Amino acid sequence: ETGVTQSPTHLIKTRGQQVTLRCSSQSGHNTVSWYQQALGQGPQFIFQYYREEENGRGNFPPRFSGLQFPNYSSELNVNALELDDSALYLCASSKLGQTNYGYTFGSGTRLTVV
Amino acid sequence: AQSVTQLDSQVPVFEEAPVELRCNYSSSVSVYLFWYVQYPNQGLQLLLKYLSGSTLVKGINGFEAEFNKSQTSFHLRKPSVHISDTAEYFCAVRDDKIIFGKGTRLHILP
């Protein structure tokens, strides 16, 4: 079975720009979650998508938005980038209702805002 | 909302010595607990999980953790560490999402 893949692996953007990060979920999974991991911190929950709709959101402003597609892949969009948005962005897929509550994480996209 | 607290930001330990990484969680009726490892410049890998049943959970790479309900703890242990265990370790709890602690950096001394 395929794991979670994220693209790109690294990205440099200028303050004020917009960015789109992509995630392909593991085969058989129907839920995608996004996390932001700042340097030296634990991952912080941004939001989760199930059946192409957001079904949970952390403490992030509206300029962080997302999409989930019929094939369960997902995008994270960030508008009006700020320097503090520099972080590792992790995508995780899971299967809602799966009894072992397993999340599979991708290797992340490292975003640098200059 | 549930939360986890990792009591140590860094733990230095000599190679082949035992190690314990501490984690406490907020109390709840039912709790699902995890330990993840993050090697340098990589994503998160699941080490082990506690969902129910036996309080001693064995994971990959020789790690194990013990769920202690009375002390609301889920400490991670390994009897003998190797240089390859150098990484960041995250304790996490499952609510309607996974909530992570701030991490413990395991530093192996030669």
Side-chain angles (χ1 to χ4, degrees):
Chain A
E1 71 188 2
T2 58
V4 175
T5 57
Q6 293 186 242
S7 62
T9 55
H10 295 81
L11 200 54
I12 299 175
K13 288 285 189 179
T14 303
R15 188 171 47 183
Q17 284 188 313
Q18 179 266 344
V19 69
T20 297
L21 310 182
R22 295 179 175 82
C23 171
S24 295
S25 60
Q26 181 171 310
S27 175
H29 286 183
N30 56 18
T31 302
V32 174
S33 305
W34 285 92
Y35 287 80
Q36 181 196 65
Q37 186 180 16
L39 200 61
Q41 301 294 318
Q44 298 292 313
F45 176 72
I46 303 175
F47 44 54
Q48 178 172 283
Y49 277 80
Y50 171 66
R51 290 186 175 178
E52 302 176 47
E53 292 191 0
E54 186 181 293
N55 78 333
R57 189 179 183 92
N59 188 27
F60 280 82
R63 59 189 185 85
F64 284 78
S65 63
L67 286 172
Q68 186 183 31
F69 301 99
N71 66 354
Y72 306 120
S73 65
S74 176
E75 287 182 355
L76 164 65
N77 298 290
V78 186
N79 294 321
L81 284 167
E82 301 176 0
L83 296 179
D84 285 349
D85 295 333
S86 295
L88 180 68
Y89 288 85
L90 295 164
C91 169
S93 73
S94 61
K95 188 171 183 178
L96 201 68
Q98 190 176 36
T99 55
N100 68 357
Y101 292 88
Y103 275 45
T104 302
F105 281 84
S107 297
T109 295
R110 186 163 297 282
L111 173 65
T112 302
V113 182
V114 297
Chain B
Q2 301 204 41
S3 65
V4 291
T5 301
Q6 292 184 246
L7 300 167
D8 306 296
S9 59
Q10 290 191 66
V11 173
V13 61
F14 286 103
E15 196 169 12
E16 299 184 7
V19 69
E20 179 180 83
L21 306 183
R22 297 182 293 167
C23 173
N24 287 93
Y25 64 92
S26 60
S27 180
S28 178
V29 175
S30 61
V31 61
Y32 307 107
L33 294 161
F34 307 82
W35 275 98
Y36 284 85
V37 60
Q38 186 175 38
Y39 297 104
N41 300 314
Q42 294 190 26
L44 296 169
Q45 182 181 3
L46 180 67
L47 272 179
L48 49 79
K49 60 191 175 192
Y50 172 79
L51 304 179
S52 65
S54 174
T55 57
L56 183 63
V57 181
K58 293 191 181 296
I60 63 171
N61 301 341
F63 284 93
E64 63 181 31
E66 185 161 14
F67 172 67
N68 188 320
K69 189 173 182 179
S70 63
Q71 297 186 6
T72 61
S73 68
F74 189 56
H75 300 334
L76 181 70
R77 301 186 183 101
K78 186 170 182 178
S80 176
V81 297
H82 301 286
I83 196 74
S84 59
D85 293 322
T86 298
E88 190 91 18
Y89 292 80
F90 293 96
C91 182
V93 62
R94 168 83 184 241
D95 199 325
D96 54 351
K97 56 189 176 291
I98 288 190
I99 300 165
F100 291 90
K102 292 187 175 182
T104 298
R105 182 169 299 276
L106 180 59
H107 181 46
I108 310 298
L109 305 170

